[in-house]
Amino acid sequence: MPIAIGVAKQLRYKKETTLNVAPGATGAQLLRRVTSEFSLGKQTYQSSELRPDYQISDFRHGGRQVSGQLNGELSCLTYADFLAAALRGPWTTAATTGALTNVTASASAPHFVRAAGSFLTDGFKIGDVVRFSGWTTTAAANNARNYRITALTATQMTVTDLNGPGTTVAAKAAGDSVTAVVAGKKLLIPLTGQTNDSFYFEEWHPDLPSSERFGGCRVGQVDIGLPATGMATIGLQFLGIDMSTAAGAYYSSPANATTTGVLAAVNGKLRVGGTDIATVTQLQIGINANMSTAQVVGSNVSPDVFPGSVVVSGSFSAYFEDGVLRDNFVNEDEIGIFAHMTADNSNNAPFMGLYMPRVKLGQSQKADGQQGIVRSYTFQALLPTTGGAGLANDQSTLVIQDSQVP
């Protein structure tokens, strides 16, 4: 009799149309993973009768609930559906200037200046990564390069280059027909009209064969880890309603898993409190969607997986080189945290950006030892008091940009 092995298992999923109802068998997606563990849990009850034989006479199963844990290495596009579910909003097409002939490029800040019109009205925000096209001759190097916006007004855009320690902008007078576009798509926690997506998972074991199916699964927690060395990681926790099994696979011809490069924190930029820093030793970001189920009379499954507030928090540690971050903690300052990771070292490398415009540090501790002294901080991300259309910041606790989301 064969024994199932992990490398043979396939994790497949599709977004549900109706909660806990299997969607059509076509159009599913294979998922990359390090590990996936989906299981059915049950409440149990045993009789409390006091009996002259000194024994328990009955034991029953009660409410059912699915729990899932998916651990992976963070890559562009791969987990886009689940990030959107956690933030309860859609991926949206980002801003573009359209073709302009009035933009001057400068090697020093502000790097791109337009004579008329407005970057703010066009929809650009601080933290966005933009790519230009249309520069000619001596400024051609400005094309197809990942520039992250660090300061923005209606007519002035200041940037840093994701590839390398400096900012590489070739100077050129206005006249070229150039276009700036925010690469890929963006994801925010919407102020209204929040979504409530659920998924139907299948763990297919072709070596048995056996299919285990998990319905009504909603994203309860996302944990993103950016170590100083090694691959960026993502952990996803799901809360679902019920499980079924079958000998044959449910999903037919699922789409192949994504092939985007794995992201690493060593590639990219980290900006804390308005300054790019290279002394952070780790960064953890957690998104808690506060999902819950309930038990009801007459059914052993919950009628729904209920959403709560989206809470974004985390921690980071950095070498103690000055008192800036320490004083941000002491003074209860509000700062921003902007993390951008690339898949390689090319100028227009695939990337993912995670930025929290308004953050307060919650705790601070200092370690000691023979090596460099490290301070550790916890943080709580908050809804910005201002932002949105026509302003320099997004009004969302967390903003995610993925260059590969179509």
Side-chain angles (χ1 to χ4, degrees), residues 272-274 325 327-338 356-361 380-386:
V272 180
L325 289 173
D327 292 345
N328 289 149
F329 164 69
V330 171
N331 298 325
E332 200 178 343
D333 294 332
E334 294 183 359
I335 62 175
I337 297 178
F338 300 77
M356 295 160 282
R358 182 185 174 215
V359 167
K360 284 190 178 183
L361 303 180
Q380 179 68 59
L382 303 168
L383 175 66
T385 55
T386 62

Side-chain angles (χ1 to χ4, degrees), residues 177-190:
S177 180
V178 301
T179 300
V181 60
V182 175
K185 288 188 177 181
K186 290 175 60 176
L187 177 65
L188 292 77
I189 305 173

Side-chain angles (χ1 to χ4, degrees), residues 258-270:
T258 63
T259 58
T260 48
V262 177
L263 302 171
V266 69
N267 300 110
K269 290 286 181 69
L270 180 65

Side-chain angles (χ1 to χ4, degrees), residues 281-282 315-318 363-367 374-378:
T281 58
Q282 65 85 26
S315 65
F316 67 91
S317 57
Q363 298 292 332
S364 174
Q365 295 181 329
K366 184 171 64 175
V374 173
R375 278 190 177 272
S376 299
Y377 303 88
T378 63

